[in-house]
Amino acid sequence: MSIHYPRLTQKSRRLLDQITLNHGPREKLGHFFLAADKAARDRGISLEFSVDFELLREVNRMNLKHWYGLPPTFDCHYSGIDASKGFWLIGRNSDGEIISTQAAHMFDLSDSNLGEAIESLKLFYADPTKMRHDGESCTISAPSAARINGRVVYSGCTWIHPDYRRRHMAVILPRISRALAYTKWDADYTISFVSTKLVEVGVAAAYGYRRVEPAMDWYNSPVGPHYQGTLVWMPQAEMLADMARFEALLEEAEEKQRRKPDTSEQRPIAN
């Protein structure tokens, strides 16, 4: 393991004790959270809810050997993400070490749309004029980007320590993130970005996204000189239907792994 730091190693608080159901079908959400929390624990990982984004920055910095730099959307020094519009999931092993992350950032695009937020760089920076890198630009040709608006949650920053991959946490973490964002903010849409190469090996499918639209081209960003991404997204009703199938989907993923080596938990480049 590469995480050995006092602040990063502590007894986990149980995720179920931190969840408040504000929106949505309480019985269905309750069943899902119980099942998803158990699925993680069965795999040796205890989950908890956090709004400490300085800690997220530390975890990223200490794991750059097998994780890309933190996307600015989830970096509080760039985007201003805080408890009012974001959270992240901490996954700890039995020693209390942080071995996985998953974050969510809510944007109110009632008077705008996702395409506008991306190309203006407002999806990444609190003040793009001051914070953007020299020559930084982003374009998106995905047709749905201009139609996605309202309460939009960007779910991403998915990282799993190499020692804990192939345990289907890529099936578990994004779904918990989407359900939490929904019950917290009554999200209309959940979106993310997955690199084109990782879409091809099944990452978007593992996360549960069926709406997959290239292309996004991001130049001279903190992520790298040229990031080519694919927009993946789902509306609220689809998110709830996917959540209801969680246990069956997890079983399918396990059966697939038994039949064939699974590559679906390779690290995302910038989501």
Side-chain angles (χ1 to χ4, degrees):
M1 296 293 294
S2 61
I3 304 173
H4 293 289
Y5 190 80
R7 191 158 172 255
L8 307 187
T9 306
Q10 63 184 45
K11 185 177 180 181
S12 176
R13 297 167 292 171
R14 193 173 182 190
L15 176 65
L16 296 178
D17 296 332
Q18 299 175 284
I19 296 173
T20 300
L21 302 180
N22 294 318
H23 302 281
R26 297 178 65 86
E27 186 174 343
K28 291 180 180 179
L29 284 162
H31 176 85
F32 165 74
F33 286 125
L34 282 168
D37 182 70
K38 181 180 184 299
R41 287 178 176 272
D42 287 348
R43 289 156 176 76
I45 299 171
S46 299
L47 299 176
E48 65 182 271
F49 176 94
S50 179
V51 292
D52 184 348
F53 290 98
E54 290 290 350
L55 178 57
L56 179 59
R57 296 182 86 246
E58 285 184 63
V59 176
N60 176 257
R61 179 178 56 82
M62 296 182 70
N63 289 279
L64 290 175
K65 182 179 179 181
H66 38 73
W67 189 8
Y68 290 91
L70 197 65
T73 300
F74 304 109
D75 188 328
C76 55
H77 289 203
Y78 283 112
S79 67
I81 188 171
D82 59 21
S84 70
K85 54 194 171 187
F87 64 81
W88 63 290
L89 298 171
I90 297 173
R92 295 185 189 272
N93 63 13
S94 59
D95 294 323
E97 297 170 315
I98 297 177
I99 50 77
S100 71
T101 67
Q102 174 80 35
H105 189 157
M106 194 276 288
F107 294 86
D108 183 356
L109 301 181
S110 300
D111 299 322
S112 181
N113 61 67
L114 180 62
E116 205 172 293
I118 291 169
E119 297 196 338
S120 68
L121 302 181
K122 291 179 181 178
L123 196 75
F124 312 116
Y125 303 108
D127 188 342
T129 303
K130 295 180 180 178
M131 296 176 174
R132 70 196 302 165
H133 289 200
D134 289 342
E136 183 174 357
S137 66
C138 190
T139 59
I140 185 160
S141 57
S144 297
R147 299 193 295 271
I148 295 172
N149 59 12
R151 293 178 298 278
V152 179
V153 171
Y154 182 172
S155 176
C157 202
T158 311
W159 169 73
I160 302 161
H161 191 280
D163 292 351
Y164 289 82
R165 293 175 189 172
R166 291 182 59 82
R167 301 190 189 196
H168 303 296
M169 292 305 293
V171 177
I172 299 168
L173 292 173
R175 288 176 170 85
I176 295 178
S177 174
R178 291 195 294 261
L180 275 173
Y182 165 65
T183 196
K184 187 175 178 64
W185 295 302
D186 194 18
D188 297 307
Y189 296 94
T190 309
I191 65 102
S192 193
F193 300 99
V194 181
S195 74
T196 304
K197 290 180 180 179
L198 293 180
V199 170
E200 293 170 357
V201 298
V203 168
Y207 291 171
Y209 294 100
R210 299 294 178 263
R211 299 174 187 261
V212 180
E213 299 181 32
M216 167 183 167
D217 289 281
W218 192 8
Y219 295 95
N220 300 320
S221 77
V223 172
H226 182 200
Y227 170 72
Q228 289 183 297
T230 297
L231 170 66
V232 297
W233 63 281
M234 61 175 64
Q236 184 184 106
E238 195 169 295
M239 183 279 298
L240 287 169
D242 176 83
M243 181 191 77
R245 295 188 61 229
F246 168 71
E247 289 161 293
L249 291 167
L250 187 57
E251 187 175 330
E252 287 174 14
E254 290 170 339
E255 177 60 27
K256 181 180 177 181
Q257 182 169 293
R258 285 191 288 269
R259 295 195 312 266
K260 182 180 178 181
D262 181 21
T263 58
S264 65
E265 293 199 29
Q266 300 299 317
R267 62 189 176 189
I269 290 177
N271 78 340

